[in-house]
Amino acid sequence: PQWQEIPHITASEVMQRQKEVPGSVLLLDCRPKPERDISCLPGAITTEEFDKDPAGLSQDKAVVVYCTLGGRSAPVVDKYLKERPGIHFKNLRLSIVDWCHAGGDLVDP
């Protein structure tokens, strides 16, 4: 399978981290605007917002990138890992689908 070399995290693991250490995870939505206009994960920001201040926004956080199933977010994580060493990027495995299966909420933008 492609993208085995990048770090992954499951929705359950993200939710557990958020519960144990609030503010320790930054959710990064890499989907195009028409998809984001339907729903997003609570507290998520866009890649465009992140790119304006990556160091400040990621300070002391795991940056978890997501899409709908994880196929589009994986190459984004790969790219960011190469461009921004020192920031802890992870791909949300199965992305929004896993989030919903784990009982996570979606919010209107």
Side-chain angles (χ1 to χ4, degrees):
Q2 198 173 15
W3 309 116
Q4 286 185 350
E5 69 282 356
I6 65 168
H8 295 273
I9 191 168
T10 66
S12 295
E13 291 169 328
V14 170
M15 292 173 188
Q16 187 65 33
R17 279 189 185 197
Q18 289 176 320
K19 183 178 177 183
E20 291 174 358
V21 185
S24 64
V25 175
L26 175 64
L27 296 169
L28 191 57
D29 191 338
C30 72
R31 299 173 303 149
K33 185 171 180 351
E35 290 180 53
R36 292 192 316 260
D37 286 346
I38 296 169
S39 63
C40 60
L41 301 187
I45 66 170
T46 66
T47 53
E48 294 84 7
E49 291 171 296
F50 179 75
D51 288 339
K52 292 177 185 174
D53 184 19
L57 291 168
S58 65
Q59 188 171 356
D60 301 323
K61 294 180 171 82
V63 180
V64 178
V65 184
Y66 73 92
C67 57
T68 302
L69 282 171
R72 291 176 289 172
S73 54
V76 172
V77 170
D78 186 55
K79 175 182 144 233
Y80 278 148
L81 285 168
K82 291 172 183 167
E83 292 176 355
R84 296 180 167 92
I87 297 178
H88 304 287
F89 293 101
K90 294 183 182 288
N91 184 49
L92 182 56
R93 189 180 304 274
L94 294 178
S95 288
I96 288 180
V97 170
D98 189 42
W99 186 265
C100 291
H101 282 196
D105 293 327
L106 297 177
V107 295
D108 292 333

